[in-house]
Amino acid sequence: MIHDQRAEKFRQIVENKFQIYNSLFMSLPYDKMTNIGMLLPFLYEESRTGYEAGKTPEDIVEEFFKNHTDLQNEEQKLELLFKIIQYIERQVVLFDSIEDAAFPNLHSESDNGTVTNLFERSFQDHKIEKVREKLKDFSVKVVFTAHPTQFYPSSVQRIIQDLRGAITGDSVTQIDMLLQQLGKTPFVNKEKPTPIDEALSIISYLRYVYYDTIGELFTKIKKTFGNGHFHLHEDIIQLGFWPGGDRDGNPFVTAEVTKRVAEELRSAILKSYYSHLKFIRRRLSFRGVSEVLTQLSEELYAAIFDGESIKAEDILKKANEAEKILINEHNSLFLDLLVNFRDRVMIFGTHFATLDIRQDSRIHQKVIDEVYAKVYGNEEADYEQKFSKLIQMSETVHAEDFEDIVKDTLLTVSQVTEIQNLNGLRGMNRYIISNSDAVKDVMNVYAFFKICGYRDEAINMDIVPLFETMEGLANAENVMNELYHNPVYKKHLEKRGNQQTIMLGFSDGTKDGGYLKANWEIYKAKEVLTKLSEQNNIKVVFFDGRGGPPARGGGKTHDFYASQGKTIANNKIELTIQGQTITSIFGNKEQAKYNFEQLLTAGVENDVFKNSKKELTEKERALIIELADISYKKYSDLKAHPMFVPYLQEMSTLEYYGKTNIGSRPSKRGNGSELKFEDLRAIPFVGSWSQLKQNVPGFFGFGYAMQKMKEQGRFEEVRELYKGSDFFKTLVLNSMMSMNKSYFPLTYYIKNNPKFGAFWNVLFDEYELSRDIMLELTGFKMLQEEDPLSRKSVKIREKIVLPLLSIQQYALMKIQKGEGNKEAYEKLVTRSLFGNINASRNSA
């Protein structure tokens, strides 16, 4: 019933509004674009009917030119296609803004997963004290990454923000003006952004969205569960930050960049405090209080603009002084304003978000080897001997004695203390190691601190292994077991409060092992590492490298975390978010607050409310293992197909990701000209499948595994698993989301391609098999039947971009045939990436 009501509301305030404002938009004139609004529906209709009739994108676009324009030469046709792309990009922005503006009306304060709902549920079940107990030491951390999946430049993002506000107020005049501004504002960065640009872009979200959102949510939790004895700890909701600190595969992130980003984070939070204090001083104009707050305001100003030192404790001391006067002399008038300010200082300190350092283990080994060779010459030694000698050196190694990556790594480590002194210990406190497969990968980082002159007690950093491949996940237990018993590392862990963070890479895991296998291996790894950590009296925290779409380990986040049972440590929920996920899930105050609540309550629910569907029985476990192994074999066979990489190279947009100027990081690891599967980054890899509307990593092998069970007469077992296990159900629904965003008719023409036809059929057959068997499993009549809002949103977005997909495929076909202006067609492919990715929001 609620689903039906929301679907109807969506139709009224999203679909209808889009029709109204889109008709306004289509009538607006932009430089030589006067008739685009009239032509676009024709290209859509030619595409829709053409694909259903099995026509190629080339046929469709050429028929569009012939039937609806009088254009004769290639130059004119190309110009029109570029104009259509620009137009569709702006249509996507319009729909985004309308949907975002509707968010508060489509979601209630008492929805499942909200703090209010958690309170009501715990009150009814007499479990409020259990929730309070859990909230005392539980926390959620969202880590912003610079992974390139966000195409809107900051000028466009500001228009989106204003457009959202105008749509909320139904201000037609203002919407008209903003749409005109949108039509004349460039959507493309002329140059790649630097890591500093990426950092500043996300810092603007910290200041204008998260400062208020997290502060208000903190206050809401306090008020909802407060009882005089309950004290909410300030770290309950934390922010992490990778731009400027993540140097894995990004040569543009240097020690200097890291230091500058740390300074920008500190400056941003101090500016937020200064602005907040301005507002408070308008109300707290009382004798004694006013003087204290004025002095604090002046100290903040000096810290921001004159480089004066100020620590969070200094700000809190002044706030407490003002509070004492307010209570004793002014009847506590407006006390809540001061308490709210003080809470934010406790939450954000002088760091705003914790800046992480991340680098690849192979780079670390290169650094260790070069430092050892410099200090000990060509003396032969195995790893244990090298490590032992380096950590016992009496002299400090100087970064200036080395070059390139070795010098920069040592400089990065050397400046950690300086950053911690400025931003506080929370400002930078962990070093993440990508591609961790062995104990030495972790111990190398410890060695860096020792050779840079740090005493043991001065290493205020967590060392975090990132297990991201099938091999890495399989080795995780042995690696951590050995680390927990390593005397040197054990001593380091004791100084860090016997807490170990372990990062698990969903994106690369899915790319490596396929959707079902990757998620199961990560689930198993978490169980094993939880047990191992408990045996060693270590508090383990799992940090999930989740992308936006299911194909990169994303999907419905609340459902995913709420489905984890008691066998997995639940001390903290920590995950990465990036690109479109920042703007579409956490992009404004209402959405951010709602989704932070969803994460928080998912973790609390796991401990407080027992649910048998979360605990896998031995029978269910055995069946998932069978399914995962069958699907992994199917996916591995696909990866080993001789046409797998050539198909992506020649038939998809893979080669064009690096030309989009949306991220500072190269689109593949390694410098070789030959493209290898292991060098492919997860984002362009998954994104390329998404652009083809095939979304292979999100489903391939899953349906095949279930079909094998069906052939053995065991499909009822799978059905019982789906009904009985929240974990398995979440995987099925996320995979169906990937398939709902697929559209194979777009590439029907490839089945007749002499080189790739057979390979395309392998993909298509698995898609049809997976779709049919999952519908049979769930009893649904359509994909995403359980989530009508998401389904409707996808349908409208897919309709908007269908002409864009036709243009992209048309250009790719021209390039493959070697016809016409190759440079222009390549530019057309690159430009068409923007609208497609923005429209899909999580790229699968």
Side-chain angles (χ1 to χ4, degrees):
M1 182 64 183
I2 292 173
H3 275 338
D4 292 342
Q5 289 171 351
R6 286 196 178 167
E8 175 58 20
K9 207 165 199 178
F10 186 92
R11 188 188 67 79
Q12 291 171 355
I13 64 176
V14 178
E15 289 185 65
N16 288 353
K17 274 193 179 182
F18 179 64
Q19 295 300 331
I20 293 165
Y21 292 134
N22 191 43
S23 62
L24 171 67
F25 178 61
M26 292 174 87
S27 65
L28 293 174
Y30 306 115
D31 312 323
K32 302 181 188 174
M33 289 174 70
T34 49
N35 65 337
I36 300 294
M38 292 181 286
L39 287 174
L40 196 51
F42 292 120
L43 181 54
Y44 167 76
E45 202 54 36
E46 291 280 3
S47 299
R48 187 185 66 79
T49 57
Y51 292 128
E52 286 173 3
K55 292 180 181 177
T56 71
E58 188 176 21
D59 291 339
I60 287 166
V61 174
E62 290 296 354
E63 283 182 26
F64 163 72
F65 285 135
K66 180 184 171 185
N67 297 336
H68 306 288
T69 77
D70 55 3
L71 302 178
Q72 298 299 317
N73 62 50
E74 183 183 53
E75 188 180 343
Q76 291 173 328
K77 290 177 179 179
L78 282 166
E79 184 183 13
L80 176 61
L81 294 180
F82 276 114
K83 294 297 181 188
I84 290 174
I85 288 174
Q86 291 171 6
Y87 200 90
I88 294 172
E89 285 171 345
R90 286 155 178 80
Q91 270 192 312
V92 171
V93 168
L94 176 61
F95 185 73
D96 281 349
S97 303
I98 291 169
E99 193 171 38
D100 290 347
F103 188 88
N105 294 314
L106 293 170
H107 297 85
S108 160
E109 278 279 319
S110 56
D111 279 359
N112 282 340
T114 59
V115 168
T116 303
N117 177 264
L118 177 65
F119 178 80
E120 289 169 354
R121 190 175 169 193
S122 57
F123 181 78
Q124 288 166 5
D125 290 8
H126 308 290
K127 291 185 174 177
I128 287 180
E129 280 308 316
K130 280 195 170 185
V131 172
R132 286 179 181 136
E133 195 60 34
K134 181 63 183 174
L135 287 171
K136 279 182 185 176
D137 67 348
F138 183 71
S139 59
V140 165
K141 187 171 189 177
V142 167
V143 180
F144 301 101
T145 77
H147 296 345
T149 59
Q150 174 54 263
F151 282 78
Y152 296 136
S154 55
S155 56
V156 174
Q157 289 188 46
R158 285 192 288 271
I159 297 171
I160 293 172
Q161 197 173 9
D162 294 340
L163 193 54
R164 190 188 302 129
I167 289 165
T168 302
D170 285 322
S171 173
V172 177
T173 306
Q174 195 181 357
I175 292 166
D176 181 274
M177 296 300 290
L178 288 167
L179 290 176
Q180 289 189 59
Q181 183 189 356
L182 196 65
K184 291 180 174 289
T185 302
F187 268 47
V188 183
N189 293 316
K190 287 186 178 178
E191 297 175 354
K192 274 183 178 292
T194 66
I196 299 289
D197 294 332
E198 290 171 331
L200 290 174
S201 175
I202 297 177
I203 285 172
S204 69
Y205 279 98
L206 300 187
R207 281 200 69 188
Y208 301 112
V209 178
Y210 306 118
Y211 180 77
D212 284 337
T213 299
I214 292 173
E216 289 165 11
L217 181 53
F218 187 85
T219 301
K220 180 181 178 180
I221 299 166
K222 272 204 310 184
K223 285 182 176 175
T224 304
F225 288 98
N227 64 349
H229 305 291
F230 172 67
H231 297 289
L232 195 60
H233 67 101
E234 65 270 17
D235 281 339
I236 190 159
I237 300 169
Q238 304 167 37
L239 300 176
F241 206 81
W242 276 15
D246 179 12
R247 57 243 311 126
D248 177 15
N250 192 339
F252 307 110
V253 176
T254 63
E256 186 182 346
V257 164
T258 302
K259 189 177 176 184
R260 165 82 190 280
V261 170
E263 290 167 355
E264 291 289 350
L265 283 164
R266 178 177 180 271
S267 175
I269 189 57
L270 295 181
K271 286 174 183 174
S272 293
Y273 293 154
Y274 184 77
S275 298
H276 193 170
L277 207 52
K278 255 183 173 177
F279 166 75
I280 292 172
R281 287 168 61 204
R282 288 170 69 99
R283 294 289 165 271
L284 300 181
S285 52
F286 319 128
R287 192 179 303 281
V289 179
S290 177
E291 287 77 3
V292 173
L293 296 184
T294 298
Q295 189 183 351
L296 175 54
S297 188
E298 288 168 356
E299 288 174 9
L300 284 168
Y301 186 91
I304 296 164
F305 298 106
D306 302 331
E308 295 290 326
S309 173
I310 192 167
K311 297 191 181 302
E313 305 88 77
D314 303 329
I315 304 171
L316 287 170
K317 189 178 177 184
K318 282 280 190 297
N320 290 335
E321 189 183 334
E323 182 182 338
K324 194 174 178 182
I325 299 168
L326 191 63
I327 293 170
N328 292 337
E329 299 178 22
H330 303 289
N331 302 323
S332 301
L333 194 58
F334 297 125
L335 177 62
D336 58 324
L337 297 181
L338 200 54
V339 169
N340 183 271
F341 174 76
R342 192 184 59 200
D343 284 346
R344 294 192 196 189
V345 177
M346 289 166 63
I347 294 165
F348 298 117
T350 51
H351 66 289
F352 219 154
T354 302
L355 182 59
D356 289 338
I357 301 172
R358 184 174 80 129
Q359 181 58 285
D360 191 283
S361 62
R362 292 163 292 192
I363 299 293
H364 290 156
Q365 193 58 52
K366 173 182 163 70
V367 175
I368 289 290
D369 292 342
E370 287 200 26
V371 169
Y372 187 85
K374 182 88 171 177
V375 177
Y376 295 103
N378 294 321
E379 184 181 316
E380 286 292 317
D382 61 20
Y383 171 73
E384 292 292 338
Q385 291 168 324
K386 282 184 183 180
F387 177 78
S388 181
K389 282 192 171 185
L390 287 174
I391 67 167
Q392 292 178 42
M393 280 171 45
S394 55
E395 293 181 16
T396 300
V397 170
H398 298 290
E400 289 73 19
D401 295 339
F402 299 88
E403 294 180 356
D404 303 327
I405 194 70
V406 180
K407 177 181 179 180
D408 191 71
T409 301
L410 298 178
L411 282 173
T412 298
V413 172
S414 298
Q415 70 186 14
V416 166
T417 299
E418 185 183 352
I419 290 171
Q420 289 179 337
N421 286 337
L422 271 175
N423 292 28
L425 290 178
R426 288 189 293 166
M428 177 175 282
N429 55 31
R430 63 184 183 183
Y431 198 125
I432 299 163
I433 308 133
S434 304
N435 279 306
S436 293
D437 293 326
V439 171
K440 68 181 177 66
D441 296 334
V442 173
M443 298 309 290
N444 279 343
V445 172
Y446 178 83
F448 291 156
F449 283 90
K450 297 300 289 182
I451 63 183
C452 287
Y454 284 78
R455 298 188 311 279
D456 284 351
E457 60 272 19
I459 305 176
N460 295 311
M461 292 285 278
D462 295 331
I463 303 173
V464 180
L466 164 52
F467 303 108
E468 50 192 331
T469 61
M470 290 298 104
E471 183 185 356
L473 287 165
N475 288 345
E477 181 183 12
N478 291 335
V479 169
M480 295 314 300
N481 187 44
E482 202 174 322
L483 279 169
Y484 287 158
H485 290 92
N486 180 300
V488 175
Y489 192 72
K490 194 173 181 181
K491 190 179 170 188
H492 173 70
L493 265 186
E494 284 171 7
K495 290 202 304 294
R496 301 303 294 161
N498 278 326
Q499 178 171 298
Q500 174 68 56
T501 300
I502 300 172
M503 189 171 181
L504 301 161
F506 283 73
S507 296
D508 282 286
T510 304
K511 185 195 112 190
D512 194 38
Y515 184 64
L516 178 58
K517 178 72 170 176
N519 275 276
W520 175 242
E521 289 302 313
I522 288 169
Y523 189 95
K524 278 200 308 179
K526 282 186 175 182
E527 288 188 315
V528 166
L529 294 171
T530 295
K531 189 175 180 182
L532 177 67
S533 300
E534 285 172 354
Q535 288 168 349
N536 288 277
N537 295 315
I538 302 295
K539 183 179 179 180
V540 68
V541 169
F542 293 117
F543 175 18
D544 295 332
R546 287 168 66 83
R552 287 210 322 279
K556 296 176 183 296
T557 309
H558 174 88
D559 293 348
F560 173 80
Y561 286 109
S563 72
Q564 294 185 163
K566 302 286 185 191
T567 52
I568 291 175
N570 184 35
N571 300 309
K572 186 177 189 177
I573 285 179
E574 185 164 353
L575 72 160
T576 55
I577 64 167
Q578 66 253 335
Q580 301 136 303
T581 315
I582 296 174
T583 53
S584 64
I585 307 296
F586 294 89
N588 60 60
K589 290 178 186 178
E590 292 85 0
Q591 287 172 309
K593 182 167 163 290
Y594 184 86
N595 286 297
F596 275 123
E597 288 188 46
Q598 293 286 316
L599 285 171
L600 184 71
T601 59
V604 174
E605 283 172 17
N606 257 343
D607 272 13
V608 175
F609 302 103
K610 287 184 172 61
N611 181 347
S612 60
K613 286 188 176 184
K614 292 176 186 173
E615 312 304 328
L616 291 168
T617 65
E618 286 307 312
K619 185 181 175 185
E620 288 172 337
R621 194 174 286 272
L623 183 55
I624 292 177
I625 291 170
E626 269 192 270
L627 289 165
D629 288 346
I630 295 167
S631 81
Y632 181 50
K633 174 70 169 63
K634 181 74 172 173
Y635 182 74
S636 297
D637 288 347
L638 181 74
K639 285 197 310 180
H641 195 291
M643 290 296 109
F644 187 86
V645 173
Y647 180 80
L648 280 176
Q649 267 189 298
E650 295 177 41
M651 305 305 285
S652 84
T653 57
L654 183 70
E655 301 279 314
Y656 299 90
Y657 262 79
K659 301 175 183 179
T660 54
N661 291 340
I662 56 163
S664 64
R665 193 169 72 165
S667 57
K668 74 180 185 75
R669 291 182 173 98
N671 299 316
S673 56
E674 183 190 350
L675 185 65
K676 298 175 184 173
F677 177 80
E678 55 270 25
D679 288 336
L680 287 175
R681 290 201 172 277
I683 286 170
F685 173 74
V686 171
S688 297
W689 289 115
S690 175
Q691 295 281 319
L692 281 166
K693 287 295 162 189
Q694 294 174 353
N695 292 329
V696 164
F699 67 83
F700 199 91
F702 202 164
Y704 176 81
M706 288 193 276
Q707 179 62 27
K708 283 294 167 192
M709 292 291 139
K710 189 175 180 181
E711 289 170 8
Q712 294 172 26
R714 299 173 60 196
F715 193 60
E716 194 53 42
E717 290 179 44
V718 182
R719 196 175 265 123
E720 288 303 313
L721 177 63
Y722 174 78
K723 290 176 184 173
S725 164
D726 282 350
F727 171 70
F728 186 72
K729 182 178 182 179
T730 300
L731 296 188
V732 170
L733 295 179
N734 278 340
S735 195
M736 290 175 90
M737 185 200 300
S738 275
M739 287 189 284
N740 197 35
K741 292 184 179 182
S742 298
Y743 184 65
F744 273 83
L746 178 72
T747 52
Y748 273 165
Y749 72 95
I750 299 178
K751 65 183 171 187
N752 298 318
N753 184 298
K755 184 175 180 181
F756 295 114
F759 183 77
W760 184 91
N761 276 305
V762 170
L763 306 178
F764 181 58
D765 290 347
E766 177 63 15
Y767 166 79
E768 289 209 305
L769 171 65
S770 297
R771 180 197 61 201
D772 293 347
I773 203 157
M774 284 191 194
L775 289 174
E776 184 181 349
L777 174 71
T778 58
F780 294 166
K781 293 183 176 61
M782 65 185 82
L783 297 170
Q784 284 195 285
E785 184 178 308
E786 87 295 351
D787 188 356
L789 295 193
S790 182
R791 189 180 72 246
K792 280 173 170 286
S793 177
V794 168
K795 188 177 179 182
I796 296 170
R797 290 174 181 279
E798 297 297 294
K799 182 177 178 180
I800 291 170
V801 298
L802 187 60
L804 200 56
L805 294 166
S806 295
I807 292 170
Q808 184 182 88
Q809 286 293 316
Y810 171 74
L812 284 168
M813 291 180 80
K814 288 287 189 184
I815 294 164
Q816 289 152 14
K817 289 182 177 181
E819 293 178 2
N821 185 339
K822 185 186 177 189
E823 187 181 341
Y825 285 119
E826 287 185 334
K827 191 177 175 186
L828 206 60
V829 173
T830 305
R831 277 306 306 273
S832 63
L833 285 167
F834 291 57
N836 284 333
I837 286 191
N838 286 331
S840 63
R841 284 215 150 175
N842 68 8
S843 297

